[in-house]
Amino acid sequence: MKLIKKLNFDICTFCNHKCTFCSNSDERTIKNQVTLNQYIQIMDNVIKYLDVKEIGLSAKGEVLINKDLSKIIKTTKDLYDIPYIYISTNGAKATKKELVSLLESGLDSTKFSINATNREDYLKIHLSDDFDKVIENLKILIELKKASFVNHKIFISCVTDTNRDTLKKKFKNLLGKDNYQYINDIFVYKITYTSKFDTIKSDKMIISKCKIPFDEIYINSNCTLGLCCKDYFDEINFGSLLEDDFLTLYNSKEYKHIRQMHITNDFPDNHLCKNCLLYN
């Protein structure tokens, strides 16, 4: 029987922005992008063991930098019949030509990561003066949805305004009422642990249980089986999916040990998972 899992395949960790809350701009971040051939080889390795209903193709970088993205999306639909494919993008490279290619390839959902609601604050956070361009690109996606891709889901995420209702009002003003109705939802994300942060002190309490080691599969841009999107510096790596059988890596002593740590809440000091989970 196949394992039912959500699959995250981070096909590009290069990025055109240097957001202040993100570890991507740290020189220790592992930078790679997956080719179509590598993608097919790894998916052939993984999919025979998994029942995948949805797949995310982005995590630690800007996915639109990967020139094989449209081909990867089409391949995911044609060869692996995965019903729901989604990406997250900062939107600066989401030109009309690019968006049409993605939508025609079968992309089901796009989330624009827009971490401010005005140009000045956006520049301070993204360290890139792309706010106006991103809003215009989002409007282009909305127009494409209206015209030909009515089932495509469009989301916005933001880390700088914790009041969701206020955020909705601001984006409604930015996009116009007629356009805003085509946004499926807006997410407010709290800034949480990433690898560049200082080590968390071990006397803090674990306040949440993480389901990722049990419910999700994460594949790194260097084609290795990883754990999650918080691991920018490749601290946890279970082996190459280009060289080793997926199930062997998934059932390895190392992976089982990670899952056991999450069951017992017993983590070594300075472990990636411990630093991520310890908040008060």
Side-chain angles (χ1 to χ4, degrees), residues 83-110:
Y84 191 74
I85 306 171
Y86 64 92
I87 63 169
S88 177
T89 173
N90 60 44
K93 291 184 171 294
T95 63
K96 183 174 182 178
K97 180 180 179 181
E98 181 71 28
L99 289 170
V100 168
S101 177
L102 297 177
L103 294 171
E104 289 181 344
S105 297
L107 182 65
D108 296 289
S109 167
T110 305

